[in-house]
Amino acid sequence: MKYRFIFALAALVALCSCKSQFELLLNSNDVDAKYKAAFEYFNNKKYSKAATLFESLSVLTEGTAKDDTVKYYWGLSNYNAKDYYTAETNFERFVEVYPRSPFASEATYLRLDCLYKQTLRYELDQTPTYKAMNAISEYIMEFPESERLETCRDMLVELNERLDRKAYEAAKLYYKMEDYLASRVAFRNVLKDDSETIFREDILYYIAMSSYKYASLSVPAKQKERYMIFIDDYLNFIGENPESAYRKELDLVYKRVQKALGRHGAGTDETDMTERKFERTIKKMKPSAK
């Protein structure tokens, strides 16, 4: 027990000594000593201490040949310490002040990577996502020969898919709430804003199903008109996705609608015209005979 106590006391004294040494350096105006120590901390992966020393140094090296190196490694230390908010501010300021520095290209990339790492899950506010996408697009335009282009494009794809999912899930919420009119409008707005969304097939399916369910729940006097809207949505869907996994379900719904339209007056010009449109769509989807 006696030796353990002595060992613990010695470790505590050593720790206090190290801390005092760091604080002495931090409060020192010895640029060379502080500069050397900052890089030693950095190289030993003690990034928080390195960042603190580089920040302190940035005041002393202002306007000197070392200034861009100090400010770049200040940002890089924060980046490696995963303080992406501070690092992004460091790199943004660095590129503004030192656009011709040898570190400028790397600082520009690291800034956009900080923005990318600060983006949030699709359920949350996507303002950081838009900011990151703008920075990535600017980098691609400014550095078209960069070896990081593929990484940047992958980032853009991922962030764009996140936005697609947010819009899709927001519209789908109306469907889950059984507000089918609002659901159809919301899904159509998603396609209006982004016709190439990765959820296009699912959205067209939910548009058709929203039309059907809205019509089936309507008063009899309104059903015929609203079933005709479903038929248009159905034809749009199978025209784009003839082999879809949703096809079987929608075909069954279409047959139900045809029966319902029969009860509401089959054989009218409007119904006949819809039937002809359906037949033309089916013929276009069939492979031509050799």
Side-chain angles (χ1 to χ4, degrees):
M1 289 294 292
K2 179 180 179 182
Y3 289 118
R4 286 182 183 177
F5 175 76
I6 293 171
F7 179 78
L9 184 61
L12 183 62
V13 170
L15 183 64
C16 292
S17 174
C18 289
K19 185 177 179 182
S20 298
Q21 221 172 24
F22 176 77
E23 288 179 347
L24 286 171
L25 270 171
L26 186 61
N27 295 320
S28 170
N29 288 327
D30 188 335
V31 173
D32 292 335
K34 189 177 288 191
Y35 188 84
K36 180 181 177 183
F39 275 102
E40 285 177 353
Y41 281 119
F42 182 88
N43 292 331
N44 289 320
K45 299 184 179 182
K46 296 179 179 179
Y47 299 119
S48 294
K49 285 188 173 182
T52 303
L53 283 178
F54 281 123
E55 180 180 8
S56 177
L57 262 173
S58 68
V59 178
L60 301 175
T61 59
E62 185 80 38
T64 70
K66 291 181 177 179
D67 195 34
D68 67 326
T69 301
V70 167
K71 286 189 167 64
Y72 172 73
Y73 275 93
W74 177 16
L76 192 58
S77 297
N78 282 316
Y79 177 86
N80 287 332
K82 302 187 186 316
D83 182 358
Y84 299 120
Y85 179 82
T86 306
E88 189 268 322
T89 304
N90 290 146
F91 291 131
E92 182 180 31
R93 178 63 179 157
F94 179 88
V95 173
E96 287 176 358
V97 176
Y98 294 106
R100 299 183 184 279
S101 168
F103 301 117
S105 173
E106 185 69 6
T108 304
Y109 172 78
L110 289 173
R111 183 207 167 220
L112 71 85
D113 195 43
C114 288
L115 291 171
Y116 170 75
K117 286 180 165 64
Q118 291 179 79
T119 57
L120 307 172
R121 301 191 315 271
Y122 79 86
E123 305 97 323
L124 304 176
D125 178 31
Q126 292 303 300
T127 300
T129 299
Y130 288 109
K131 187 175 181 180
M133 291 176 74
N134 287 336
I136 295 167
S137 298
E138 288 171 5
Y139 179 85
I140 290 172
M141 292 179 65
E142 188 176 353
F143 301 99
E145 305 299 324
S146 172
E147 60 184 17
R148 303 194 187 262
L149 286 187
E150 187 175 348
T151 301
C152 289
R153 291 190 182 107
D154 288 343
M155 287 180 182
L156 281 178
V157 168
E158 183 190 335
L159 295 176
N160 195 60
E161 288 179 357
R162 195 178 304 174
L163 295 176
D164 283 352
R165 176 166 287 280
K166 184 176 181 67
Y168 169 69
E169 294 292 347
K172 193 175 177 182
L173 186 60
Y174 289 107
Y175 188 86
K176 291 177 178 177
M177 294 167 60
E178 300 182 358
D179 187 346
Y180 299 117
L181 179 59
S183 169
R184 185 176 187 274
V185 171
F187 279 121
R188 284 171 61 85
N189 284 338
V190 173
L191 290 184
K192 184 178 179 181
D193 292 338
D194 182 9
S195 62
E196 297 181 359
T197 172
I198 60 170
F199 297 101
R200 183 176 177 86
E201 180 181 342
D202 303 271
I203 288 171
L204 289 173
Y205 162 78
Y206 279 111
I207 286 173
M209 289 302 295
S210 295
S211 298
Y212 167 69
K213 292 190 176 184
Y214 181 60
S216 65
L217 294 171
S218 299
V219 296
K222 295 283 187 179
Q223 282 186 328
K224 179 179 175 181
E225 173 190 352
R226 291 170 182 174
Y227 279 136
M228 299 302 294
I229 293 173
F230 161 77
I231 290 175
D232 277 341
D233 292 338
Y234 166 77
L235 293 175
N236 286 337
F237 180 88
I238 64 171
E240 279 195 30
N241 308 283
E243 305 299 327
S244 171
Y246 292 124
R247 176 69 189 269
K248 186 176 180 180
E249 179 185 1
L250 286 176
D251 285 348
L252 290 172
V253 172
Y254 174 77
K255 289 177 182 177
R256 288 191 211 123
V257 168
Q258 288 301 94
K259 289 181 181 178
L261 285 173
R263 291 196 300 272
H264 288 288
T268 64
D269 291 341
E270 188 177 21
T271 305
D272 289 342
M273 196 165 69
T274 301
E275 285 287 354
R276 288 195 296 272
K277 182 178 177 183
F278 175 69
E279 288 172 4
R280 285 197 301 271
T281 302
I282 295 299
K283 285 178 182 178
K284 286 179 183 177
M285 287 160 36
K286 289 180 180 179
S288 57
K290 294 185 179 179

